Amino acid sequence: MKAAVYTQYGSPDVIQVIDIKKPTPKPNEVLVKIKASSVTRAETMMRQGKPKFGRLFLGLLKPKNTSLGTGFSGVVEAIGSQITKFKVADEVFGEKLFSNGTNAEYICVPEDGIIEKKPNNITHEQAAPICDGFLTSYSFLKDIGNLKKGQYILVNGASGSLGTAAVQLAKVMGAKVTGVCSTKNIDLVTSLGADHVIDYKMQDFTKQGDFYDVIYDSVGKSSYRKCEKVLYNQGVFITPVLSFKVLWRSIIMPKKVKFSATGIRKQEELKGLLTELTTFFKKGKLITIIDKTYKLENIADAHKYLETGHKIGNLAIINP
Ligand SMILES: NC(=O)c1ccc[n+]([C@@H]2O[C@H](COP(=O)([O-])OP(=O)(O)OC[C@H]3O[C@@H](n4cnc5c(N)ncnc54)[C@H](OP(=O)(O)O)[C@@H]3O)[C@@H](O)[C@H]2O)c1
């Protein structure tokens, strides 16, 4: 089968699509024929080996795990002897954390892993990126930011993968939402349900005289320092983008500044969040925004586009 791999750190040109052995499911695994997979910021960082201290875990001189891709959606082709929840031909989606080989034609996933039956009302390309933007943003809004009905939230980077998810989720959670994006994305962010949209090219959201219970800097382009004057007393600044400043502030003022990473949460917690998200999708309350799709053999182009920092929503790899 075909799979995208990288055997050295570097630019998108280090990615190769090669033939590897099709996996066989263990007793507790399902074999999924992948119809669509995600390409996310996390994978571009792993491919680059950045930030460099990450190489302590990823491999000092070259990547230990050479496979690419985290999110997937596809069809169960075979099941192990102990499988009870899934059967052949089920449509499923989910993720294998830490870039674990979903940019490929097949993947084996444990039944108790992050995998759910795909809602019938969404396509594979819409399902594959759910565990990036939606799962991360739901974790942040619900558990890290503790967002409550009626509260005011500002989503900085409202047109990205995490941002387009966060605007919709905050509305589903009953919050009043301000989205920050550039001029070209105002209509999109409004259509996702934002009550108020600020164009970051024209206005500084910290100078509008509005206050927030939660500021979710989904793209790491602002800072607690800039935002503290527009946070209510009990307000919190949350971000999925790690920097030394964020890390330091989250240690010295843990009630005000919070960072987390999806990958460090317990699998059972992520599964619980994904089950709730699946229900929202089934009810038609959420929609995955797809900017571009690519064939597996053109995955390097997807990485190049992602690195511009201007994608809208998500990218997906589509298999025939
Ligand atoms: N902690 C975790 O568990 C976790 C999980 C997943 C992702 N992440 C991180 O989350 C971050 C966001 O990922 P993503 O995929 O959502 O990002 P992304 O899609 O690459 O973000 C691109 C979007 O950001 C907008 N943007 C660029 N500059 C901006 C600015 N100054 N102000 C407001 N918006 C701006 C762009 O809009 P314009 O084109 O209009 O500028 C574009 O639509 C990444 O750093 C990723 O590594 C963390």
Side-chain angles (χ1 to χ4, degrees):
M1 70 161 193
K2 300 262 180 252
V5 298
Y6 68 121
T7 53
Q8 54 180 303
Y9 296 121
S11 75
D13 296 331
V14 301
I15 301 173
Q16 297 167 278
V17 177
I18 60 167
D19 283 304
I20 62 168
K21 195 168 173 279
K22 183 176 165 182
T24 309
K26 294 182 188 140
N28 67 331
E29 290 181 337
V30 297
L31 174 68
V32 180
K33 182 174 170 49
I34 295 171
K35 295 298 219 176
S37 60
S38 60
V39 178
T40 70
R41 174 70 64 181
E43 283 127 42
T44 63
M45 290 166 72
M46 288 190 192
R47 190 207 69 235
Q48 292 168 323
K50 287 184 181 167
K52 285 214 168 143
F53 67 81
R55 296 188 188 191
L56 290 173
F57 310 97
L58 299 173
L60 274 185
L61 300 176
K62 57 182 187 170
K64 285 188 246 175
N65 172 16
T66 56
S67 52
L68 276 171
T70 314
F72 68 89
S73 182
V75 181
V76 174
E77 189 173 280
I79 57 173
S81 57
Q82 296 167 1
I83 299 295
T84 56
K85 288 191 215 143
F86 301 102
K87 59 182 189 317
V88 170
D90 277 351
E91 294 193 315
V92 292
F93 77 104
E95 80 171 333
K96 288 204 84 178
L97 284 169
F98 304 115
S99 225
N100 243 331
T102 65
N103 296 145
E105 290 180 303
Y106 292 90
I107 188 102
C108 285
V109 186
E111 184 173 58
D112 63 355
I114 302 169
I115 178 168
E116 279 276 340
K117 285 191 186 154
K118 181 181 81 60
N120 292 331
N121 58 339
I122 61 171
T123 63
H124 288 293
E125 74 181 59
Q126 290 170 328
I130 286 175
C131 290
D132 184 40
F134 283 100
L135 191 57
T136 305
S137 287
Y138 197 35
S139 168
F140 267 87
L141 268 47
K142 187 177 178 207
D143 299 332
I144 314 297
N146 207 11
L147 182 67
K148 296 277 180 283
K149 189 175 177 183
Q151 285 191 327
Y152 287 81
I153 180 171
L154 179 136
V155 178
N156 191 32
S159 53
S161 170
L162 275 57
T164 52
V167 169
Q168 298 177 70
L169 286 165
K171 287 308 292 177
V172 167
M173 294 166 80
K176 307 264 188 237
V177 185
T178 296
V180 180
C181 63
S182 67
T183 321
K184 65 182 166 55
N185 294 320
I186 289 175
D187 287 350
L188 168 73
V189 175
T190 306
S191 74
L192 296 176
D195 300 286
H196 183 46
V197 180
I198 295 174
D199 181 345
Y200 78 79
K201 302 254 182 195
M202 314 290 281
Q203 290 172 310
D204 179 341
F205 69 80
T206 65
K207 293 184 179 156
Q208 304 306 305
D210 295 319
F211 287 81
Y212 304 95
D213 299 286
V214 178
I215 293 182
Y216 179 42
D217 185 9
S218 76
V219 283
K221 298 284 183 186
S222 190
S223 67
Y224 172 72
R225 194 90 194 236
K226 286 185 199 154
C227 292
E228 62 181 326
K229 58 181 177 286
V230 292
L231 275 173
Y232 285 124
N233 281 343
Q234 303 300 318
V236 60
F237 176 86
I238 57 177
T239 181
V241 182
L242 188 58
S243 66
F244 282 111
K245 273 187 189 163
V246 166
L247 185 62
W248 173 241
R249 289 221 161 87
S250 68
I251 292 168
I252 59 169
M253 42 175 66
K255 289 192 173 160
K256 288 272 154 209
V257 179
K258 297 187 186 201
F259 166 80
S260 177
T262 320
I264 61 173
R265 294 206 60 180
K266 290 188 183 138
Q267 187 162 286
E268 302 77 62
E269 293 171 354
L270 294 175
K271 276 177 77 75
L273 292 172
L274 187 60
T275 305
E276 288 178 43
L277 285 172
T278 305
T279 306
F280 293 145
F281 272 98
K282 277 184 190 160
K283 290 182 178 169
K285 293 188 173 189
L286 302 174
I287 181 169
T288 311
I289 301 302
I290 303 285
D291 185 343
K292 290 176 194 262
T293 62
Y294 298 82
K295 291 180 183 165
L296 184 58
E297 58 261 39
N298 298 328
I299 185 171
D301 292 337
H303 276 239
K304 283 177 193 161
Y305 180 53
L306 203 149
E307 284 180 1
T308 64
H310 295 291
K311 76 171 162 60
I312 299 167
N314 303 275
L315 307 182
I317 302 293
I318 305 289
N319 292 345

